[in-house]
């Protein structure tokens, strides 16, 4: 079972951009700088003494100003590339878009740069809420992912009333996902958290399984390690040294999968694979840290502005406790010595789960259960995770498998990527567009028509072509002169 609650995103952050906030305050100040009264139109109503006069106060109408806010913002701001180094651009993208009280970084934030940094910059600065426009293909993909999740979990509606309730629901779904993995060998939509460059990041793993995606490939890489001793240090970055097996090493490994949807069966290029590979590497790193009990819970709740000691609502506890009373409620205490069996039976009949002592009444107490479930699921900590990852492509119309790509975990590859990409999030450089070899990405980009990076590339190509034509013309003239002189 997975529980779903009402959308509390507005409580974790809001979607006005900094420019819109500033303009809204300026408009409000201008509109309220003079409050109209009856005395403005009738001099006889002007006060003639120090006796307070009760005036009819009129409040400014901001509806028109608000409706024109986005148009004014679009017309007054500088070009996106200029914004990164002047004006509002003096604040880093991290400060502008992913600092409290706004929502924290997500894995999607960190993988978007593997496709096109500039496209994501345009998304953050041009689109409402900094979210990509939903296309029919995206809606089909979401529907397919929901279908896959429903094959493993049964959705249950749960009402929530506070931010703490909402996050408790996330933790409970995590607990249920871990239990499902142990019981069936497969779970889906498992949420994880981790730190990147000191920033809290969250993500949701498509598939977590005990099934090895490609044991033959791993064996092949292991054999290469044995044959090429000089490269052993490189290959052990993918696969840590194997431990000696023993009676207690029977726990199965855990492997991660990411499912991508496509509308055709054409071969997936390396450029298309890159974001998915970064995504899985991040998931693996975060889950490994959680499996080793390395995630600081105080940092987690602090980033979301949550109180770990605040009692969860009675409604939430009643709903989840009713579904899983064996977890949320302590067993009844043993009868007092000397009490007869009839009294014990009557007491049991009169009691109900809500009369029993609730074990997990706050986020802090619920986190203790998360840690226990993690220990059961990953008895060897991060070593319980396999080091082979899989990207699976399926057709968005019917879910049939199109292509799979298996690859080993690489700490170095992830660190190198994050080192480059986080420098943009920190505001140390401007966002970059795609290389000319990956210009095919522009065909599906909604910003292609006015993309400055694309325009600059086109101008460079035109200039290069003009130089070639001019050089060819000079050579032709020179050749004609030489022929004429002969």
């Amino acid at each position: 079972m997975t529980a779903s609650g009402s959308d509390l995103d507005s409580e974790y952050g809001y979607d006005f951009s900094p420019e819109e906030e500033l303009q809204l305050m300026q408009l409000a100040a201008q509109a309220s700088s003079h409050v109209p009264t009856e005395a403005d139109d009738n001099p006889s109503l002007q006060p003639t003494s120090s006796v307070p006069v009760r005036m009819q106060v009129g409040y400014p109408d901001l509806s028109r100003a608000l409706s024109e806010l986005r148009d004014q913002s679009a017309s007054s701001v500088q070009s996106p590339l200029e914004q990164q180094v002047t004006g509002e651009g003096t604040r880093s993208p991290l400060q502008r878009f992913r600092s409290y009280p706004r929502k924290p970084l997500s894995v999607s934030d960190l993988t978007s740069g593997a496709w096109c940094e500039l496209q994501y910059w345009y998304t953050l600065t041009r689109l409402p809420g900094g979210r990509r426009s939903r296309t029919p293909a995206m809606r089909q993909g979401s529907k397919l992912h929901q279908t896959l999740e429903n094959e493993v979990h049964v959705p249950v509606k749960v009402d929530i009333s506070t931010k703490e309730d909402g996050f408790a629901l996330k933790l409970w779904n995590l607990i249920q996902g871990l239990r499902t993995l142990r019981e069936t060998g497969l779970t889906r939509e498992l949420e994880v958290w981790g730190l990147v460059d000191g920033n809290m990041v969250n993500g949701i793993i498509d598939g977590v399984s005990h099934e090895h995606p490609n044991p033959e490939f791993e064996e092949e890489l292991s054999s290469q390690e044995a044959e090429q001793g000089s490269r052993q240090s490189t290959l052990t970055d993918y696969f840590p040294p194997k431990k000696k097996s023993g009676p207690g090493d029977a726990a199965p490994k855990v492997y991660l999968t990411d499912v991508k949807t496509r509308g055709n069966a054409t071969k997936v290029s390396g450029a298309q694979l890159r974001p998915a590979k970064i995504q899985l590497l991040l998931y693996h790193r975060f889950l490994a840290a959680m499996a080793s009990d390395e995630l600081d819970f105080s940092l987690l709740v602090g980033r979301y502005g949550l109180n770990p000691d605040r009692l969860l609502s009675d409604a939430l506890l009643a709903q989840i406790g009713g579904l899983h009373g064996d977890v949320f409620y302590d067993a009844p205490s043993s009868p007092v010595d000397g009490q007869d069996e009839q009294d014990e039976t009557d007491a049991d009949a009169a009691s109900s789960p809500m009369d029993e002592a609730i074990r997990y009444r706050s986020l802090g107490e619920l986190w203790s259960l998360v840690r226990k479930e993690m220990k059961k699921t990953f008895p060897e900590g991060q070593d319980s995770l396999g080091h082979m990852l899989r990207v699976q492509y399926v057709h968005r119309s019917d879910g049939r498998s199109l292509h799979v790509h298996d690859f080993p975990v690489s700490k170095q590859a992830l660190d190198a990527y994050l080192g480059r990409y986080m420098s943009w999030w920190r505001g140390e450089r401007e966002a970059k567009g795609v290389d000319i070899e990956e210009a095919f990405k522009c065909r599906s980009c909604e910003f292609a028509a006015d993309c400055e990076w694309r325009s600059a590339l086109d101008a460079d190509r035109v200039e290069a072509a003009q130089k070639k034509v001019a050089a060819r013309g000079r050579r032709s003239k020179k050749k004609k002169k030489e022929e004429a002189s002969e």
Side-chain angles (χ1 to χ4, degrees):
M1 180 215 76
T2 57
S4 60
S6 59
D7 187 3
L8 284 183
D9 286 346
S10 60
E11 296 192 41
Y12 290 91
Y14 50 91
D15 291 326
F16 279 118
S17 70
E19 297 92 339
E20 292 171 339
E21 296 171 24
L22 179 60
Q23 292 182 14
L24 182 59
M25 289 187 289
Q26 291 174 344
L27 288 170
Q30 294 171 3
S32 59
S33 60
H34 176 72
V35 180
T37 68
E38 292 183 15
D40 292 329
D41 300 323
N42 191 347
S44 63
L45 295 180
Q46 295 286 352
T48 58
S49 69
S50 60
V51 178
V53 178
R54 185 176 182 179
M55 298 183 295
Q56 180 180 356
V57 179
Y59 293 94
D61 182 6
L62 295 180
S63 58
R64 182 176 180 181
L66 286 171
S67 66
E68 298 174 352
L69 182 59
R70 294 192 184 278
D71 294 337
Q72 292 183 13
S73 176
S75 62
S76 62
V77 298
Q78 296 169 296
S79 65
L81 287 178
E82 293 173 335
Q83 288 181 37
Q84 299 180 72
V85 293
T86 62
E88 183 61 40
T90 57
R91 299 173 64 204
S92 69
L94 191 60
Q95 292 172 323
R96 293 180 61 184
F97 305 110
R98 293 297 181 264
S99 294
Y100 188 82
R102 293 179 179 273
K103 64 182 181 180
L105 285 169
S106 67
V107 169
S108 295
D109 289 328
L110 299 185
T111 58
S112 296
W115 182 257
C116 177
E117 291 180 356
L118 191 55
Q119 182 192 62
Y120 202 56
W121 169 252
Y122 285 144
T123 298
L124 291 172
T125 55
R126 294 185 178 186
L127 298 184
R131 296 186 178 93
R132 291 182 60 189
S133 303
R134 297 283 292 175
T135 64
M138 293 170 66
R139 285 191 285 270
Q140 273 189 303
S142 298
K143 184 178 180 180
L144 181 60
H145 275 82
Q146 186 62 55
T147 300
L148 292 174
E149 183 183 4
N150 291 345
E151 293 175 355
V152 178
H153 302 294
V154 178
V156 176
K157 179 71 175 179
V158 175
D159 297 324
I160 55 179
S161 56
T162 67
K163 292 191 298 183
E164 285 74 16
D165 280 359
F167 203 78
L169 204 55
K170 290 177 178 287
L171 296 183
W172 181 246
N173 285 337
L174 171 60
I175 292 167
Q176 285 300 104
L178 295 174
R179 291 181 167 188
T180 302
L181 174 61
R182 295 200 305 270
E183 294 170 1
T184 68
L186 171 67
T187 191
R188 294 192 182 277
E189 304 299 313
L190 190 74
E191 187 161 6
V192 292
W193 296 269
L195 292 175
V196 172
D197 204 21
N199 301 284
M200 189 62 66
V201 185
N202 84 299
I204 300 178
I205 309 174
D206 281 346
V208 184
S209 170
H210 285 154
E211 182 179 356
H212 196 306
N214 197 334
E216 294 81 8
F217 183 38
E218 182 170 348
E219 185 63 30
E220 179 183 346
L221 291 178
S222 298
S223 63
Q224 291 178 10
E225 174 185 349
E227 294 173 1
Q228 303 179 27
S230 60
R231 297 183 59 192
Q232 184 173 359
S233 59
T234 301
L235 290 172
T236 53
D237 292 335
Y238 300 136
F239 304 104
K242 295 182 179 180
K243 297 181 179 180
K244 295 182 179 180
S245 59
D249 296 333
K253 295 284 187 180
V254 176
Y255 299 92
L256 311 185
T257 302
D258 190 62
V259 179
K260 300 296 182 186
T261 58
R262 289 170 61 84
N264 57 70
T266 57
K267 184 179 179 181
V268 181
S269 66
Q272 292 171 318
L273 271 170
R274 192 182 306 127
K277 294 174 72 171
I278 296 298
Q279 189 173 355
L280 279 170
L281 290 173
L282 284 167
Y283 288 154
H284 188 278
R285 177 169 295 185
F286 294 165
L287 187 56
M290 293 178 68
S292 300
D293 198 20
E294 296 174 359
L295 179 61
D296 190 329
F297 181 64
S298 63
L299 293 179
L300 178 61
V301 295
R303 178 58 185 86
Y304 285 95
L306 302 169
N307 182 353
D309 300 319
R310 180 179 181 178
L311 295 181
L312 302 175
S313 68
D314 292 339
L316 177 71
L317 293 175
Q319 291 175 88
I320 297 183
L323 294 169
H324 301 278
D326 58 321
V327 176
F328 264 74
Y329 301 102
D330 288 324
S333 57
S334 58
V336 179
D337 292 340
Q339 185 178 20
D340 58 35
E341 294 183 2
Q342 183 62 42
D343 291 340
E344 180 180 346
T345 302
D346 293 342
D348 289 342
S351 65
S352 67
M354 289 304 295
D355 295 328
E356 299 168 1
I358 300 176
R359 298 182 191 177
Y360 309 106
R361 298 166 296 178
S362 66
L363 290 177
E365 293 175 350
L366 191 57
W367 184 252
S368 66
L369 180 59
V370 171
R371 296 176 64 189
K372 292 177 184 177
E373 295 293 332
M374 279 285 178
K375 184 63 176 177
K376 292 179 181 178
T377 310
F378 306 96
E380 299 177 4
Q382 63 181 0
D383 291 337
S384 295
L385 271 72
H387 285 256
M388 186 66 68
L389 306 172
R390 165 167 287 189
V391 183
Q392 181 180 11
Y393 286 89
V394 299
H395 202 283
R396 67 172 65 101
S397 63
D398 54 13
R400 69 180 184 274
S401 181
L402 299 176
H403 174 75
V404 294
H405 179 79
D406 302 318
F407 64 101
V409 173
S410 173
K411 177 180 182 297
Q412 285 72 16
L414 181 58
D415 287 342
Y417 170 80
L418 291 176
R420 294 190 302 270
Y421 190 41
M422 290 305 294
S423 65
W424 171 72
W425 275 103
R426 293 191 299 266
E428 297 170 0
R429 62 173 178 82
E430 297 180 2
K432 297 179 180 179
V434 298
D435 295 330
I436 190 65
E437 294 80 11
E438 298 181 6
F440 69 90
K441 297 177 179 178
C442 301
R443 293 197 297 265
S444 60
C445 180
E446 58 187 304
F447 309 110
D450 55 351
C451 174
E452 296 182 5
W453 185 274
R454 179 183 172 91
S455 299
L457 287 179
D458 290 342
D460 290 342
R461 283 188 291 179
V462 170
E463 183 180 356
Q466 290 174 341
K467 288 181 178 179
K468 288 183 179 180
V469 171
R472 190 180 300 115
R474 288 193 297 269
R475 288 195 299 269
S476 178
K477 289 181 180 180
K478 182 179 180 181
K479 184 176 181 180
K480 289 180 179 179
K481 287 182 179 180
E482 291 175 350
E483 292 175 350
S485 62
E486 293 177 356

